Amino acid sequence: MESYTLCFPETDEPVWILGRQHHLNTDKSKLLLDISARLWFTYRRKFSPIGGTGPSSDAGWGCMLRCGQMMLAQALICRHLGRDWQWEKHKKQPEEYHRILRCFLDRKDCCYSIHQMAQMGVGEGKSIGEWFGPNTVAQVLKKLALFDEWNSLAVYVSMDNTVVIEDIKKMCWSPAQSSGVAHSSAHLHRSALGQNKNTAGLCPGWKPLLLIIPLRLGINHINPVYIDAFKECFKMPQSLGALGGKPNNAYYFIGFLGNELIYLDPHTTQSFVDSEENGTVDDKSFHCQQAPHRMKIMNLDPSVALGFFCKEECDFDNWCSLVQKEILKQQSLRMFELVQKHPPHWPPFIPPTKPEVTTTGAELIESTDKLFELEEEFEILSV
């Protein structure tokens, strides 16, 4: 651990990492454990070609996709293991941890793989192998989450720098598709704290919220007026950090010290890792065990996306009051707006649902045997 200490100056200023405060002079090792516990996704090589004939490495173009994976992975860790869960090398990890990792492996059948993200990006106007911006990666995660029944996340990506409380509540309280219970009864039966036990995923309850706020904090450079509010976001207990960086160079920002941001860097190419037969993943290459990187806030490209995770409704209500208190006190240039009601001039808000999968006729009937079975049943019914 001592080799890490060189990367931090001697200072009494606190370091903030995703809503947790650390003091360098008293608990440096705790800080470094906290940083290395984050899932670290980097460029990989030698995975199966994307789309069958596309690239088998994302080196040079996949950095923002990897940063999006890191932000989402942090949300899933908070959902299943809690913000204070720690990773230690060689220590046996819970099954949920391996299940989270498997969501991100570089295989076409993994929910948030580079394959799924690159192909979903085509619908956002990005060819496979093209660089994404923070907003594109947010839109892609929002679409992919609709197919992820295990985590059952509600992903809200704000529009026009505006977060609408009414729309988020509507989205997070929408009844599960497999349940016939009406939306209103979800409100009647939830406890005062919104502590629904939605274990089976069947009964309506608050869907854990991944909130992403794409922002432009200046024209060519970050406007200094936003710096304090931007730093404040890393102090919130709901913080998932920020996606951003420099043109065509994306980083996952997880905290700050003074006027420097602390980030995880995806620009390292490692070999593809698959899961073992028992479902575990050799996870050493998914945790950054080197000194964390730092950069001056003023060197940040103004195009960023903030991330927050609210497991329960009370977490979201708490986030709203923190925003009112810390972000909206800026009367001049606010970083973003938080409004109660859906703006009347906007198109109506419809919570996204999983698209119907369209199939060709050939796929509908898996074999001629199926067809004969159907014919036989039909004959029996018509007799």
Side-chain angles (χ1 to χ4, degrees):
M1 273 294 180
E2 277 315 299
S3 59
Y4 281 108
T5 55
L6 302 173
C7 69
F8 283 114
E10 289 303 315
T11 174
D12 291 335
E13 274 194 272
V15 180
W16 285 91
I17 301 288
L18 302 174
R20 293 289 184 273
Q21 188 180 25
H22 297 280
H23 291 280
L24 282 170
N25 42 13
T26 54
D27 59 1
K28 199 171 282 183
S29 58
K30 221 160 131 193
L31 162 69
L32 297 167
L33 270 176
D34 195 17
I35 293 170
S36 65
R38 304 311 113 221
L39 280 174
W40 178 49
F41 297 122
T42 68
Y43 291 151
R44 295 269 171 179
R45 58 176 173 267
K46 297 184 184 168
F47 49 69
S48 63
I50 296 174
T53 53
S56 55
S57 168
D58 61 313
W61 60 271
C63 54
M64 184 59 86
L65 286 78
R66 297 298 184 182
C67 292
Q69 287 180 327
M70 289 192 257
M71 179 180 274
L72 176 59
Q74 180 57 23
L76 301 188
I77 280 177
C78 292
R79 178 173 181 358
H80 296 287
L81 304 171
R83 169 63 185 87
D84 294 320
W85 166 83
Q86 294 293 325
W87 175 84
E88 286 174 53
K89 220 183 339 189
H90 313 308
K91 189 177 155 196
K92 192 176 185 311
Q93 293 300 342
E95 161 56 24
E96 290 92 337
Y97 165 79
H98 289 284
R99 198 168 172 186
I100 291 167
L101 255 184
R102 291 198 300 270
C103 293
F104 297 95
L105 295 179
D106 305 313
R107 292 166 35 157
K108 64 177 184 196
D109 58 347
C110 294
C111 194
Y112 301 111
S113 64
I114 194 86
H115 298 64
Q116 293 283 5
M117 291 180 78
Q119 289 187 293
M120 194 59 91
V122 174
E124 297 295 317
K126 296 286 181 188
S127 347
I128 291 170
E130 199 178 333
W131 197 81
F132 282 30
N135 183 50
T136 309
V137 90
Q139 299 299 340
V140 161
L141 292 176
K142 177 175 151 182
K143 287 181 176 175
L144 288 177
L146 297 171
F147 297 91
D148 173 13
E149 285 174 12
W150 175 50
N151 292 299
S152 177
L153 289 180
V155 181
Y156 179 92
V157 181
S158 67
M159 263 174 42
D160 295 344
N161 292 7
T162 306
V163 175
V164 183
I165 296 172
E166 176 184 46
D167 294 350
I168 286 178
K169 297 241 172 177
K170 194 183 200 176
M171 189 173 162
C172 291
W173 277 114
S174 57
Q177 288 172 336
S178 46
S179 165
V181 187
H183 175 231
S184 57
S185 65
H187 281 279
L188 291 172
H189 291 105
R190 71 179 197 254
S191 68
L193 283 174
Q195 301 275 349
N196 275 53
K197 292 287 169 273
N198 190 7
T199 44
L202 293 176
C203 49
W206 176 268
K207 269 183 147 184
L209 167 70
L210 168 55
L211 166 59
I212 304 178
I213 309 175
L215 298 171
R216 189 145 189 103
L217 302 177
I219 300 166
N220 298 319
H221 299 283
I222 189 166
N223 185 330
V225 77
Y226 295 119
I227 286 179
D228 286 344
F230 185 65
K231 283 162 61 173
E232 209 55 53
C233 293
F234 291 99
K235 296 182 183 179
M236 295 179 181
Q238 301 82 359
S239 173
L240 293 176
L243 307 175
K246 297 170 182 175
N248 295 354
N249 235 356
Y251 304 127
Y252 174 41
F253 295 98
I254 56 172
F256 72 91
L257 166 62
N259 279 327
E260 289 189 319
L261 295 170
I262 296 167
Y263 64 91
L264 293 178
D265 187 352
H267 300 89
T268 294
T269 309
Q270 306 189 87
S271 277
F272 162 67
V273 170
D274 208 345
S275 55
E276 315 281 338
E277 276 182 27
N278 64 2
T280 62
V281 179
D282 181 1
D283 60 359
K284 286 189 295 295
S285 65
F286 293 101
H287 292 273
C288 184
Q289 296 164 68
Q290 302 153 351
H293 295 272
R294 303 199 318 271
M295 73 179 265
K296 289 190 162 56
I297 294 185
M298 283 308 294
N299 293 342
L300 184 69
D301 185 84
S303 182
V304 297
L306 298 170
F308 301 95
F309 177 69
C310 303
K311 187 173 181 177
E312 304 280 1
E313 186 176 24
C314 54
D315 297 324
F316 177 60
D317 294 340
N318 171 262
W319 179 83
C320 292
S321 18
L322 285 172
V323 167
Q324 292 286 0
K325 198 167 130 239
E326 301 300 340
I327 309 292
L328 304 183
K329 64 182 179 190
Q330 281 294 113
Q331 288 310 306
S332 52
L333 272 180
R334 291 175 173 178
M335 198 162 59
F336 60 86
E337 295 293 339
L338 176 66
V339 298
Q340 191 67 48
K341 293 276 172 214
H342 185 84
H345 57 282
W346 281 15
F349 177 76
I350 299 157
T353 51
K354 185 164 137 184
E356 292 298 321
V357 179
T358 51
T359 55
T360 61
E363 286 166 323
L364 285 171
I365 297 164
E366 288 163 35
S367 66
T368 47
D369 299 349
K370 267 271 177 63
L371 183 58
F372 290 137
E373 279 169 31
L374 290 169
E375 282 176 347
E376 281 166 15
E377 277 176 33
F378 183 73
E379 279 166 14
I380 293 163
L381 287 170
S382 23
V383 169

